Amino acid sequence: MSVERAESHKVKGNTYFSKKDYDSATREYSEAINLNPRNVVYYTNRALCYLRLKKYDNVISDCKTAISIDANSVKGHYMLGQALTEKAEFDLAISHLQTAYDLAIKDKVTFSGEIIQALLSAKKRKWELEEQRLRKNESEFLKYIKGLINTEREKQLQKVNQSKNSFGSTISKLVNLHSTEIQDKLDQINKSYDEKLSQIEQVFAQSEENRGPKEVPDYFLDKISFNIMYDPVITPSGITYERTHLKEHFKKIGHFDPLSRLECREADLYPNLALKEAIEDYLNKNGWAADY
Amino acid sequence: MSALFTKRLSKELVDLKINPPVGIEVTEADTFKSWKLTLDGVDGTLYAGERFTLEFRFSPNYPMESPEVVFTGNIPIHPHIYSNGHICLNVLYNQWSPVLSVRSVCLSIQSMLSSCTCKEPPPDNNHYVKTAKASPKQTQWSFHDDSV
């Protein structure tokens, strides 16, 4: 009885959801949960409302409940990953999104492409945060080194000035004669330290540039979506594609390799593990490329 | 699917602007619904010195579905191009593949023009233009002649 009533609240919730009235939808799903707390769908539906409302703590708690009821809930892992990304818990987010993707491929879920997007964007945001920290550390370090160089410069300048003063006090009349020589010396010191400063600035600028966006090599990009690949698969023609987009192509267009046009089916595909490793390695060094 | 669609088209657009193929230029791409490109006739061919405009219309399923591609304005006279702008080219219809792109379609059309040896309209032009639907994708094309 209560199971049926729960279902009717879910149906109402879905109607509100399709009208984008997420607050009312949330209320209906909550009613459904009260009546039947063991149905995963009520939690994942409510989590999706919370996700739209940007209430990420609520998303996390509903998804955790969903996963505790059904550890294989694709939506549970997927939305948990998205909410954790928003909370800047990137490692945990990435691990849940990876689980979601693996389950989605096994279950032939239609939104595996979206999961990959969420995964890549979590990876990129993780990199951005680390990059920000690194940049701050580096700029502090650069300031410190420049400070050292300038202190050293002051010391050298002082030495020359002191020799001038002691010189000047003893034989004051000759000061003018030597002043140009001393000025030359001071200029030389300044020039040499200015050079040192500009060199060190160049080194730091170079290191920053090396980490920043460049062009992603074509062989890492899927020929269908033009995105960097996450789960590359190789066809009998030896051509590599992103699994989810190639499967979509089989479904919507036909069972052939999009490039060679030779017949090809899902069962003919092998994961391209070497390329996957190469891409992972590349992304570790070029985090910006994750969501390229 | 729509995330794939806009992201891919943005990348295609950047690539066309940064690294445009010879004689092909994007002139209008304010939305992801339709773009306009100009296509210049290649020197040394029957279309040298002429400039044509191609319109691409995309559905949210692109690239899992071919774009709708037609000439607008000045229509080239060619045995595979109807005077309403429809183009008889297999990759736009049953031979579409998601690895094809705006760039590759433009290059195919450019090469179709370049290899033409006699400027004349398709033999069934009048009949086709009278009966064709607005979208060339609704035409039942038969691709019999690969020599022109």
Side-chain angles (χ1 to χ4, degrees), chain A residues 114 117 223-228 241 245-246 248-249 252-253 256 258-259 261 291-292, chain B residues 1-4 7-8 11-12 61 63-65 91 94-101:
Chain A
E114 277 90 339
Q117 269 310 309
K223 292 173 178 59
I224 297 174
S225 63
F226 298 3
N227 283 347
I228 198 155
Y241 302 92
H245 300 316
L246 186 57
E248 182 86 9
H249 157 76
K252 292 217 168 119
I253 303 182
F256 62 92
L259 209 65
R261 294 188 186 268
D291 198 17
Y292 166 75
Chain B
M1 248 13 236
S2 71
L4 166 65
K7 219 170 150 187
R8 185 177 136 155
K11 285 183 184 172
E12 286 198 46
N61 283 326
M64 293 303 167
E65 199 181 282
V91 294
N94 63 351
Q95 289 293 301
W96 171 256
S97 155
V99 295
L100 298 174
S101 59

Side-chain angles (χ1 to χ4, degrees), chain A residues 100-145:
Chain A
Y101 177 76
D102 294 341
L103 291 168
I105 288 301
K106 245 192 343 215
D107 294 356
K108 302 189 188 300
V109 167
T110 53
F111 51 92
S112 51
E114 277 90 339
I115 298 176
I116 291 183
Q117 269 310 309
L119 187 56
L120 292 178
S121 118
K123 281 190 176 175
K124 185 171 183 189
R125 286 178 60 180
K126 178 186 174 190
W127 173 82
E128 275 169 350
L129 192 77
E130 275 164 13
E131 174 70 13
Q132 225 174 34
R133 212 196 54 231
L134 215 63
R135 205 169 277 192
K136 191 163 160 259
N137 280 352
E138 251 180 29
S139 86
E140 272 164 20
F141 189 49
L142 175 62
K143 224 156 89 189
Y144 172 72
I145 291 179

Side-chain angles (χ1 to χ4, degrees), chain A residues 45-56:
Chain A
N45 281 11
R46 191 168 69 176
L48 185 57
C49 296
Y50 286 138
L51 198 61
R52 293 286 154 82
L53 294 167
K54 299 191 194 311
K55 293 182 175 169
Y56 300 117

Side-chain angles (χ1 to χ4, degrees), chain A residues 35-265:
Chain A
L35 291 161
N36 178 9
R38 298 296 300 166
N39 190 323
V40 181
V41 175
Y42 304 159
Y43 293 99
T44 50
N45 281 11
R46 191 168 69 176
L48 185 57
C49 296
Y50 286 138
L51 198 61
R52 293 286 154 82
L53 294 167
K54 299 191 194 311
K55 293 182 175 169
Y56 300 117
D57 289 315
N58 295 344
V59 179
I60 291 171
S61 114
D62 271 357
C63 287
K64 281 188 174 161
T65 313
I67 293 169
S68 74
I69 298 170
D70 173 12
N72 292 334
S73 165
V74 179
K75 287 184 180 169
H77 286 289
Y78 174 38
M79 287 187 281
L80 182 51
Q82 286 175 289
L84 288 168
T85 305
E86 295 300 332
K87 304 289 277 183
E89 300 241 23
F90 300 117
D91 290 320
L92 207 54
I94 289 167
S95 125
H96 278 288
L97 290 168
Q98 264 159 353
T99 310
Y101 177 76
D102 294 341
L103 291 168
I105 288 301
K106 245 192 343 215
D107 294 356
K108 302 189 188 300
V109 167
T110 53
F111 51 92
S112 51
E114 277 90 339
I115 298 176
I116 291 183
Q117 269 310 309
L119 187 56
L120 292 178
S121 118
K123 281 190 176 175
K124 185 171 183 189
R125 286 178 60 180
K126 178 186 174 190
W127 173 82
E128 275 169 350
L129 192 77
E130 275 164 13
E131 174 70 13
Q132 225 174 34
R133 212 196 54 231
L134 215 63
R135 205 169 277 192
K136 191 163 160 259
N137 280 352
E138 251 180 29
S139 86
E140 272 164 20
F141 189 49
L142 175 62
K143 224 156 89 189
Y144 172 72
I145 291 179
K146 281 163 92 175
L148 288 183
I149 293 173
N150 279 325
T151 320
E152 188 66 27
R153 179 213 303 256
E154 286 308 314
K155 255 192 219 157
Q156 297 284 340
L157 292 174
Q158 232 165 37
K159 247 192 219 161
V160 175
N161 276 325
Q162 261 164 15
S163 75
K164 175 182 97 178
N165 289 344
S166 61
F167 205 58
S169 62
T170 43
I171 327 170
S172 54
K173 296 233 164 115
L174 291 174
V175 165
N176 280 341
L177 229 163
H178 288 274
S179 71
T180 55
E181 212 172 289
I182 285 166
Q183 193 54 48
D184 277 355
K185 238 180 181 168
L186 291 175
D187 285 350
Q188 223 168 33
I189 290 169
N190 273 326
K191 197 179 157 220
S192 117
Y193 280 94
D194 282 345
E195 262 169 29
K196 275 186 186 149
L197 281 177
S198 96
Q199 269 172 7
I200 201 85
E201 271 172 6
Q202 263 175 30
V203 168
F204 275 81
Q206 189 63 51
S207 118
E208 206 176 291
E209 205 175 289
N210 285 344
R211 296 197 312 265
K214 291 179 285 283
E215 196 121 323
V216 181
D218 270 350
Y219 44 80
F220 289 158
L221 300 181
D222 168 42
K223 292 173 178 59
I224 297 174
S225 63
F226 298 3
N227 283 347
I228 198 155
M229 286 184 274
Y230 170 71
D231 186 8
V233 290
I234 191 159
T235 66
S237 307
I239 303 162
T240 298
Y241 302 92
E242 176 73 60
R243 183 192 297 274
T244 173
H245 300 316
L246 186 57
K247 279 170 67 180
E248 182 86 9
H249 157 76
F250 289 155
K251 208 172 87 190
K252 292 217 168 119
I253 303 182
H255 286 95
F256 62 92
D257 183 318
L259 209 65
S260 72
R261 294 188 186 268
L262 297 176
E263 189 181 327
C264 177
R265 294 177 175 272

Side-chain angles (χ1 to χ4, degrees), chain B residues 10-62:
Chain B
S10 322
K11 285 183 184 172
E12 286 198 46
L13 188 59
V14 170
D15 182 51
L16 283 167
K17 295 240 162 155
I18 292 179
N19 181 19
V22 179
I24 293 165
E25 196 191 342
V26 182
T27 52
E28 218 184 284
D30 306 329
T31 68
F32 292 125
K33 278 193 182 135
S34 120
W35 292 1
K36 280 186 178 156
L37 296 97
T38 54
L39 189 71
D40 291 337
V42 177
D43 284 347
T45 72
L46 295 180
Y47 302 92
E50 291 187 74
R51 168 166 288 189
F52 307 105
T53 302
L54 278 171
E55 185 173 348
F56 280 69
R57 299 181 201 122
F58 307 100
S59 89
N61 283 326
Y62 179 82

